Amino acid sequence: MNGRLRLGMVGGGEGAFIGAVHRHAAALDHQYELVAGAFSSNADTSRRSGAALGLDPERVYADYAQMARAEAVRGDGIGVVSIVTPNHMHAPVARAFLEAGIHVICDKPVTTNSDDARALRALANEKGLIFAVTHNYSAYPMVRQARAMVQEGQLGDVRVVQVEYAQDWLAEPLEQTGQKQAAWRTDPARAGGGAIGDIGSHAWHLADTIVGQPVESLCAQLNTFVPGRAIDDDVQVMLRYAGGARGMLWASQVAPGHANDLRIRVFGSRGGIEWRQQQPNELLYTPLGEPTRILERNGPGTHPAARRMGRVPAGHTEGYIDAFAALYAEVARHLVGRRDGSDPGEAWFPTIDDGLRGVLFIETVQASSCEGGAWVPLPAH
Amino acid sequence: MNGRLRLGMVGGGEGAFIGAVHRHAAALDHQYELVAGAFSSNADTSRRSGAALGLDPERVYADYAQMARAEAVRGDGIGVVSIVTPNHMHAPVARAFLEAGIHVICDKPVTTNSDDARALRALANEKGLIFAVTHNYSAYPMVRQARAMVQEGQLGDVRVVQVEYAQDWLAEPLEQTGQKQAAWRTDPARAGGGAIGDIGSHAWHLADTIVGQPVESLCAQLNTFVPGRAIDDDVQVMLRYAGGARGMLWASQVAPGHANDLRIRVFGSRGGIEWRQQQPNELLYTPLGEPTRILERNGPGTHPAARRMGRVPAGHTEGYIDAFAALYAEVARHLVGRRDGSDPGEAWFPTIDDGLRGVLFIETVQASSCEGGAWVPLPAH
Amino acid sequence: MNGRLRLGMVGGGEGAFIGAVHRHAAALDHQYELVAGAFSSNADTSRRSGAALGLDPERVYADYAQMARAEAVRGDGIGVVSIVTPNHMHAPVARAFLEAGIHVICDKPVTTNSDDARALRALANEKGLIFAVTHNYSAYPMVRQARAMVQEGQLGDVRVVQVEYAQDWLAEPLEQTGQKQAAWRTDPARAGGGAIGDIGSHAWHLADTIVGQPVESLCAQLNTFVPGRAIDDDVQVMLRYAGGARGMLWASQVAPGHANDLRIRVFGSRGGIEWRQQQPNELLYTPLGEPTRILERNGPGTHPAARRMGRVPAGHTEGYIDAFAALYAEVARHLVGRRDGSDPGEAWFPTIDDGLRGVLFIETVQASSCEGGAWVPLPAH
Amino acid sequence: MNGRLRLGMVGGGEGAFIGAVHRHAAALDHQYELVAGAFSSNADTSRRSGAALGLDPERVYADYAQMARAEAVRGDGIGVVSIVTPNHMHAPVARAFLEAGIHVICDKPVTTNSDDARALRALANEKGLIFAVTHNYSAYPMVRQARAMVQEGQLGDVRVVQVEYAQDWLAEPLEQTGQKQAAWRTDPARAGGGAIGDIGSHAWHLADTIVGQPVESLCAQLNTFVPGRAIDDDVQVMLRYAGGARGMLWASQVAPGHANDLRIRVFGSRGGIEWRQQQPNELLYTPLGEPTRILERNGPGTHPAARRMGRVPAGHTEGYIDAFAALYAEVARHLVGRRDGSDPGEAWFPTIDDGLRGVLFIETVQASSCEGGAWVPLPAH
């Protein structure tokens, strides 16, 4: 590799959760170097955050637009930016960097409405820039294993999809205590959706990654259980897939006993699989009429597509940051390919196209729920 | 107890599954003695079955109606009959025994339509007879534990119910091989419903037992995945409960890796619980904001209502037959109470009222699915 | 079958644990009928216990010797007796019934010293009577599966055996509260051994059942952790098997979090297996270099030797009483064979020979521990 | 922090496993910067490895001694070196860097004999340098949780310790295929011990970390099951702790179904705990007489000593690299403290003292096994 990729970040200042995760992910494989950031729109906060990260103060900004312009003209300017702000800011920030000719890695949901997502897609295409969206659960090795197994027909025709994402951190009105994460994530203006946007969209994308056929229509009920909350904290959806599969999706932030419990099961005519984020190094696989197998990451019977995403041998667990870093590594293979003319190989990551489809999914769920749980077709993107 | 309860059986001849289970269940606690039966409408089969069970040949019948009449007039005639035929025969058989003044224990779904169930309820009430329905999963000790916890408010207001019953034995067209169980259970005329009737109704009743509030309306999709099958083999339902809870129910017979996997999770404003039939001696309980507890049958923290249903100490597992027998024991407490004037105490079991509600649930799911998955109210029973 | 086997019982009066288990086990498959008993040496207790069981008062005894004599001369006398007294009474009771020509089913450890066990073996052989010992864990279907797999070479040469039996009910001095079970089980005179006798011998026998090669020598430490206790409540043993395998055995009654946690793992040159009593319907099986399989009782890949021991299909759990009953059923096949001249087929159960070897194991552990944990050979039986 | 810690590495060239882990661990929290290395004694290999890591070629060495001298005199020389060679090289390499005044982070076992370890300890003390040993399992958050619980008396007096470390990668003679890891790890000259050195010492240290009382004596059998192997591939040990606890330790590289399965259970007079490396984010905790709790990393009821070691919220799993990085972070707090005069707070990591005690443990196990499994006291260090 001819040196590390020069990375900038927008958002992720003091006290932020996901910004720190992106930095760990970028650091783990020695492929990125964080060199610039607009960590907060508050200049002092941004400066302190940048200093704590050891950045050159000159490259710590309060204004993302200024950052985009300034970095674009530096000889050692950033080649890619990570956007980790609250959701409503993703679109303007991404636009600024795309217009400055800088590749984008953006958190999900990529925008708070599909028009913005479509516009970003058009802009990225026009500029010929990479636009990755951190649907990070698609990068777990055993999720890639599941994806490969479906693609290669090991499950036969997919019949049933059961996906869920249960959390419990919002079972009480945490947002009323001033907790920063809870505050913006339960604010319709900044989040664009509650449980459906924050975690329901992850569940949808996980299923999408593995199943490989689009949702055709759905019926949904968005629920708000915590008194005084302005946004959904639980969502239940029934799904009809284009290829004939039927699915159920449940996402909840009010499920005591589930900290971050994303799970999926997919059943086909030839077998079934099950994966759980809280035990991510295993994939249960049952060939029809045979005993269930416990496939372990990097263990016997695992697919090259899964092996590529891990670092340590079977039995040495990997977790959330490892998978997030594996996604960054997939993006790096493409970025380096662009820079050096090298072949990224099989590297694959969610793009603005996935991002747009995710926003359409959120909007369709919201539309169905508004109509009392009617069946609503999912628009073509 | 002044001697054992004299039990008859209709159905359950050679090769039947559930008839043998009922006999094990009746035998385990020494409370019933099987003394008569019409094990098959084929006289030879019935005779052979009765002989294998050591019955007096005089009390082995081919015709259930004749059995009802004959036993009713014997001095040592049966006091209670177990009906374990295919579903479509439940109603006529039950009617015959009720009219003969004999208490009934009947398999579920209690009838193939709600009119029949209403008529049976009226008849049982008129005759003052016990009519138990073997929704056997309601008799597991840790299900009773869950029920008691909800009743006593340990979960607070119930918000979310997730219940599922997954099997895999019909993932291929087993009924085309002549397998007897598969044949009648996939025949609409004899079964009255596929996955929804056979196991979906169990899932509904399990939730009903624990949650204690009725379903108000639902939307459902019945699916038939195996080519050539005449009945649903998978069903997905969204539920709205009268008390404000929202639920999802999934039942499938085409889910490789799930042999008989009935599970339920209930989440309330103060905590959550989880139970799984394949590991029935445990109940996971998470008080809001505290670590999850593993409650073990007869272990620390278990409720008297749960302790009553078990036989052996914590760690000594109980299973399917134990719980079935616990249901028979609950019925026995009432039957003995009637006979001897004793107090059955807290004994509780599903009755024809549960049976009727179960049939209404099945019919409503079928109606919703016919209307393309529309929301349909559940009729009052 | 020409009628049920007529069964008597010695011990198992009011408040006893294991006596009730034997009665459930005998009842479950309709093969035995309990017709006589000496449930307690206290005449009133025995009478009340017999009455509660609905026995003919004439056949309820206080004196086991009188019972043996009386039943031996009745035309409808018992053919087999279950002995469920405290351990020190097993030998005299068994002797009385053997001398009366009555088959014996006896709880374990079969005696409190090996001389008594040898004498019983000689007497049973001389009389040509069946002497079954209820090492009940050998009758779980998936233990039989494991046994068959080792016998058929699926694990290759056995290398390592890890067996343990952890409980927590004696972590405090329960015997000082007057609890009946705790009192006799911690009394050296009545129990003959603490953790090693009560549960260590079960662990040894489970390994013996599966591994099929004898222990050649061992080194052990018996521990007494609860102040004031007169007997061991924890035992740790290293084992050398005759065939070259090496093992570890741990049994404890002071392990909080383990109610009745018997587990075994066996590793050979071609694969490994794992079984756990608290989840007895599964056997984990790992062929060398392949993913682990979850074998389910009656599920795909199970052996006829395992299938014979169960009653309900895969996924319908079986437990402690089911397996105990399966042991009784194995014995019944032999008893009926004797009575009717029929072939018991593959039926297998632990006998006085296993019982004797179990007592020798206990004595050898005690000897090693007395010598400070020296290696001591296990005497040939 | 005034800039990152400048790190060098000895060993860890192309194809090495643990060297890459150390580099990931050093990178994750942005506290170290790898600037120099002697990755192999083969100059070409070292050069290629350094180039792949983007190092200045001038600071890539073939000779560790030359590296120590050269870096010691550079103004921007390394402050700390990570030693990740095969075991027999740890001592000479560590000596060279200590003598050059450079802090050391060294893999375990720290040396192949206790004399070397004692000499290193003396040298480090004399020089006033930090000597960390990467007993990495001591850095998992839930291991720190367990340690804190024992220290604060939540388990009462420790009675029983059950620790095991099972792997299966050497169940066949992998070393005969030329696999590099297998080759040196089964070579007595380079490894110093087989299963006992490679993983048994980890198991010992894990127990030591949690239990906090030294082993007083032990009896052991070292086993070699794979034909043609020159070193132990399985070890079984019984332990007597100074505080009265009794323990068992098993480590195996021939246990099919166990990829990297380090587990520990500790039982005291007031409760018990269980931790498993393959599911490291949970700690099972049973207060005596209460239901078992599932403590989750960063979840309710976790100790500050555990929370300090993690990065992401409960439910977002952490794994092997995360914990390795947490150990590096603990060392960094001390290194920065030395450099900047800051307070490292509660930061704790295994040192040469743990390293020496680990080597003494290995030697004592080997001595006991040589004497046929005799009890041997563990020398004071």
Side-chain angles (χ1 to χ4, degrees), chain B residues 253-340:
Chain B
Q253 295 165 323
V254 298
H258 297 268
N260 193 49
D261 210 348
L262 174 63
R263 307 184 193 194
I264 188 164
R265 289 172 289 176
V266 178
F267 304 99
S269 55
R270 296 184 48 206
I273 52 172
E274 175 168 359
W275 181 78
R276 188 180 170 203
Q277 191 272 145
Q278 294 200 186
Q279 205 164 341
N281 297 281
E282 288 179 8
L283 180 74
L284 297 183
Y285 164 48
T286 311
L288 185 59
E290 296 186 26
T292 295
R293 271 87 165 142
I294 306 171
L295 300 182
E296 288 191 75
R297 184 185 44 73
N298 274 350
T302 48
H303 196 276
R307 291 180 171 263
R308 188 180 75 237
M309 307 302 284
R311 288 166 200 82
V312 285
H316 299 73
T317 56
E318 298 192 354
Y320 183 81
I321 290 176
D322 300 271
F324 224 110
L327 185 58
Y328 262 79
E330 292 284 85
V331 177
R333 288 183 191 103
H334 279 268
L335 291 170
V336 168
R338 295 285 185 97
R339 188 187 68 187
D340 301 349

Side-chain angles (χ1 to χ4, degrees), chain D residues 51-72:
Chain D
L53 292 163
L55 297 198
D56 177 354
E58 188 178 296
R59 299 179 76 177
V60 178
Y61 308 84
D63 178 341
Y64 68 84
Q66 185 202 343
M67 172 177 164
R69 288 189 303 268
E71 291 291 326

